[in-house]
């Protein structure tokens, strides 16, 4: 494949280069890196460690950053010039690879070459991707690298690929694929063998139901299928059928000329984005973005600087970069007085490592608007004295420049939020924090400094919240008396969770400079919904721990929803979640809370829901709330959705047909998964439900269920649907295999594929589920 690229950079990557791999100021080791002939794999080994080597696939690399763009490379900036440095950023939670080449030219070769390879991958069609995936498996199993494999080796490979199949059947296909009759399969013969093995009976069945002659779908057959099964709009269905044939019918068959579709083209269509369960139209920016800012759910991160847990975790600017990459639009920073007059960021009263506030602001400037141009809210938990607050304000002003919003849009006193769409808010960072006085005073002239410089600087001191939370949790009373056990450093006596070990909220002074940076997001203490209704300004925002929010939800759900139609609210995880676990965000979205802050660094169902909700609308980080949550005169109580005006329940019927190439969970070569599918509905309490298919013995390759699951959905506008595949285990907990979450309102009906994601939310091609979906009115 090298000749096809005919590219000097790739040629020199294939020859290979010695570069320094950098892990810290003190850990710098030489490694020999080279691109394999397949132009898909990078091979590297250390200079001295005998024959030990490692590889990674180009498809694992998300992007290349040039120069000193990682903390590690910044820490050695005095030693190596930026033109010799670059960083490979991997998908998911894998750490970056920081490299220094011997010359700027060598660095450029790798930077340009990697970018080219990543681009080639992104432009690949579905069938090329599948061939690519098959070839990668073939190479993994071809132990002696001779490019051919006998039947015994193929059987081992099938086990690795999660296939446990009838040996007789496999052998028959092996003989057919062995065109050269050598008793072994070469790579292209293996692709053929694999394709025969994976013939989709389930898809063939549907194809033959609609095909007039059992051989092809004529234009009319295809139109009928699109109209009756896929429920495509009747008007454009003929045009759509022609486009699908044009796009997916392989050109080397005569079918395209006849304006018809073969089984291959049909499968290609069903496996494409258009055949996906997520409506492509809703994956792009499709919502009205001209509503006031508080009418949107906003993708929000908590303790953004942490990469792990809250007691000893690593603080890093990388946390912000990763959150922005996922479309996050509200990030958090905890500031404390640091040495040399420079404010630092870390999780107070714990052993988490520390980073400079200044570096966080630089990361904001560089990464905040790469994925979305809509405004970013910087939520500050501020513990600094007046001196370092001034330094914070100075950094915000000098580093962000005009990216920091410093005044209302037209210099007038506004009565409601501007929309994310207005030109003056795009690409802007809004500081959320305490403010001296209100917007009115700051626009009407200077505030008298004496009377207003005291006040709580931070409304979200988690240390103080722990006291409140621990009242909710008896188990903690026991913890207070004991000490926390740490796995590696024994028991540490001074982290006792009693109120004395944390400073109480003090009336700290607020610097005018920092106060002036706060415009539309003034943090205020919440007293009651009634008090807010009478006294609050729209730009005042309160924050609740999850337990406080739950209490309000139970006691006054409709009141909470109405409050959020007027103002912004932020809900964040309890201070007791020292492991950085998350609460269920759905509960909070049900109240119309816009800023539901989650620990982005922790994978699990909660982040799946967050990714699911914000996977729509161009992943821009803003999702319009349902209309009944945007008007303060409408009444909606999430506990009793039946009472709302315009209540129309729906029935969701999902037939889970089959699974394809599910990834192995167990590393043991001999084990194969026993998969089952669970469909979960997350929404208002009445909608919360889950149902499962039966499990299939020993088949992760092409399990077939044909099991039907039915749900009633009372508040479809708020519901999310999560598909989970697990490996059934009688004796212990089922292992997670893959999942996919999407908003109920974005589902395409008919025969659809669901392309599964890993625990981290990254794709795991070609793993998928094949389902049939029907949504009907109940009333």
């Amino acid at each position: 494949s090298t000749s096809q690229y005919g590219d000097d950079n790739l040629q020199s990557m294939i020859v290979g280069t010695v570069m320094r791999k950098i892990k810290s100021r003190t850990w710098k080791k030489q490694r020999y890196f080279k691109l394999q002939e397949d132009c898909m794999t990078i091979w590297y080994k250390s200079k001295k460690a005998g024959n030990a080597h490692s590889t990674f696939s180009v498809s694992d690399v998300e992007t290349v950053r040039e120069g000193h763009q990682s903390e590690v490379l910044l820490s050695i900036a005095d030693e190596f010039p930026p033109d010799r440095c670059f960083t490979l950023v991997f998908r998911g939670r894998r750490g970056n690879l920081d490299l220094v080449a011997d010359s700027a030219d060598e660095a450029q070769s790798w930077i340009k070459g990697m970018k080219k390879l990543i681009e080639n991958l992104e432009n690949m069609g579905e069938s090329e991707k599948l061939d690519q995936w098959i070839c990668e498996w073939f190479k993994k199993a071809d132990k002696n690298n001779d490019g051919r494999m006998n039947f015994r080796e193929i059987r081992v490979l099938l086990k690795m690929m999660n296939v446990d199949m009838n040996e007789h059947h496999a052998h028959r296909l092996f003989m057919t694929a062995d065109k050269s009759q050598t008793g072994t399969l070469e790579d292209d013969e293996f692709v053929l063998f694999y394709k025969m093995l994976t013939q989709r009976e389930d898809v063939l069945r549907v194809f033959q139901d609609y095909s007039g002659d059992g051989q092809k779908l004529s234009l009319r057959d295809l139109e009928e299928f699109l109209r009756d099964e896929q429920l495509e709009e009747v008007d454009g269905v003929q045009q759509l059928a022609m486009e699908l044939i044009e796009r997916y019918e392989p050109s080397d068959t005569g079918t395209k000329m006849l304006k018809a579709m073969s089984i291959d083209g049909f499968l290609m269509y069903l496996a494409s984005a258009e055949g996906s369960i997520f409506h492509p139209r809703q994956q792009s920016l499709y919502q009205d973005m001209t509503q006031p800012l508080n009418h949107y759910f906003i993708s929000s991160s908590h303790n953004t600087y942490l990469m792990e847990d809250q007691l000893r975790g690593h603080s890093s600017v990388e946390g912000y970069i990763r959150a922005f990459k996922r479309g996050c639009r509200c990030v958090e920073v905890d500031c404390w007085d640091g040495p040399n007059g420079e404010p630092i960021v870390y999780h107070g009263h714990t052993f988490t490592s520390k980073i400079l506030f200044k570096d966080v602001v630089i990361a904001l400037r560089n990464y905040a608007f790469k994925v979305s141009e809509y405004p970013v809210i910087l939520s500050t938990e501020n513990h600094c004295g007046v001196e370092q607050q001034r330094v914070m304000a100075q950094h915000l002003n000098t580093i962000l420049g005009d990216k920091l919003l410093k005044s209302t849009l037209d210099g007038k006193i506004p009565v409601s939020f501007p929309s994310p769409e207005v030109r003056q808010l795009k690409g802007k960072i809004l500081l959320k924090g305490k403010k001296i006085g209100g917007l009115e005073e700051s626009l009407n002239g200077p505030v008298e400094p004496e009377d207003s410089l005291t006040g709580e600087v931070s409304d979200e001191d988690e240390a103080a919240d722990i006291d409140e939370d621990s009242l909710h949790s008896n188990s903690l009373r026991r913890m207070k008396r004991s000490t926390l056990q740490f796995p590696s450093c024994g028991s540490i006596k001074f982290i006792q969770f009693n109120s004395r070990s944390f400073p109480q909220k003090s009336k700290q002074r607020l610097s005018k400079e920092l106060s002036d940076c706060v415009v539309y997001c003034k943090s205020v203490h919440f007293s009651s919904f009634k008090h807010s209704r009478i006294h609050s300004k729209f730009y005042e925002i309160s924050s609740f721990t999850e337990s406080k929010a739950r209490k309000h939800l139970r006691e006054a759900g409709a009141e909470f929803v109405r409050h959020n139609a007027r103002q912004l609210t932020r809900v964040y995880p309890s201070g007791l979640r020292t492991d950085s676990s998350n609460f269920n965000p759905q509960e909070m979205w049900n109240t119309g809370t816009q800023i539901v802050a989650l620990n982005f660094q922790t994978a699990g169902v909660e982040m799946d829901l967050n990714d699911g909700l914000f996977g729509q609308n161009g992943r821009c980080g803003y999702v319009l709330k349902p209309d009944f949550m945007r008007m303060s005169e409408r009444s909606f109580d999430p506990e009793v959705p039946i009472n709302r005006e315009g209540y129309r329940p729906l029935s969701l019927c999902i037939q889970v047909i089959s699974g394809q190439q599910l990834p192995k969970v167990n590393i043991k070569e001999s084990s194969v998964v026993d998969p089952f599918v669970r469909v979960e509905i997350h929404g208002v309490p009445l909608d919360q439900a889950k149902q499962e298919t039966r499990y299939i013995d020993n088949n992760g390759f092409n399990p077939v269920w044909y099991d039907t699951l039915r749900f009633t959905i009372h508040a479809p506008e708020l519901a999310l649907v999560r598909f989970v595949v697990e490996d059934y285990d009688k004796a212990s907990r089922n292992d997670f295999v893959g999942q996919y979450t999407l908003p109920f309102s974005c589902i395409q009906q008919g025969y659809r594929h669901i392309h599964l994601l890993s625990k981290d939310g990254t794709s795991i091609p070609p793993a998928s589920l094949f389902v049939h979906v029907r949504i009907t009115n109940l009333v």
Side-chain angles (χ1 to χ4, degrees), residues 529 548-559 637 639:
F529 289 129
K548 269 263 182 64
R550 267 188 217 106
K551 184 168 170 285
H552 292 312
L553 168 61
R554 277 195 307 272
E555 293 169 5
E559 198 57 59
D637 186 341
E639 301 286 324

Side-chain angles (χ1 to χ4, degrees), residues 560-630:
F560 203 166
V561 174
R562 228 175 313 193
H563 173 86
N564 290 329
R566 290 190 311 272
Q567 283 171 261
L568 284 173
T569 298
R570 179 175 186 265
V571 174
Y572 58 102
S574 150
L576 301 173
R577 293 182 180 273
T578 49
D579 56 353
S580 287
S581 59
N582 282 310
F583 57 85
N584 176 1
Q586 184 69 47
E587 258 190 305
M588 307 306 166
W589 292 325
N590 290 343
T591 67
T593 295
Q594 302 86 348
I595 301 178
V596 178
L598 296 179
N599 289 300
F600 271 48
Q601 68 275 25
T602 308
V605 58
E606 300 84 8
M607 273 310 292
D608 293 347
L609 295 176
N610 200 74
D611 289 344
L613 177 67
F614 293 104
Q616 62 182 318
N617 209 26
R619 295 187 181 275
C620 74
Y622 284 82
V623 165
L624 190 61
K625 298 201 281 185
D627 59 354
F628 53 82
M629 292 186 138
R630 306 198 298 262

Side-chain angles (χ1 to χ4, degrees), residues 278-381:
F278 203 126
H279 205 304
R281 197 173 51 236
Q282 283 157 302
Q283 280 189 314
S284 55
L285 197 66
Y286 74 100
Q287 292 183 334
D288 172 8
M289 298 305 290
T290 61
Q291 303 267 340
L293 193 78
N294 60 316
H295 285 185
Y296 297 86
F297 293 122
I298 302 171
S299 178
S300 307
S301 147
H302 177 63
N303 288 345
T304 315
Y305 48 86
L306 285 183
M307 301 293 281
E308 302 155 63
D309 68 45
Q310 303 184 9
L311 289 172
R312 294 177 310 152
H314 173 53
S315 302
S316 164
V317 174
E318 199 62 42
Y320 293 89
I321 299 173
R322 287 187 183 187
F324 287 137
K325 206 162 71 186
R326 290 177 88 154
C328 181
R329 297 287 85 192
C330 177
V331 294
E332 188 196 24
V333 58
D334 285 11
C335 305
W336 300 79
D337 282 336
N340 316 323
E342 279 292 344
I344 52 174
V345 172
Y346 80 112
H347 202 58
H349 320 296
T350 62
F351 300 105
T352 57
S353 62
K354 302 168 175 61
I355 49 179
L356 292 176
F357 176 71
K358 180 170 67 182
D359 288 342
V360 172
V361 182
I362 291 171
L364 284 174
R365 180 192 67 200
N366 294 346
Y367 292 96
F369 303 105
K370 285 228 195 281
V371 171
S372 166
E373 55 184 357
Y374 291 118
V376 164
I377 297 170
L378 175 60
S379 178
T380 52
E381 188 179 306

Side-chain angles (χ1 to χ4, degrees), residues 138 141-150 153-154 178 180 182-187 189:
F138 185 86
D142 182 12
K143 296 277 191 272
N144 62 355
N145 290 328
D146 65 351
R148 51 184 60 235
M149 290 170 84
N150 62 28
E153 291 172 309
I154 292 278
D178 180 15
S180 55
T182 53
T184 59
L185 300 187
E186 291 172 32
D187 47 8
E189 291 176 332

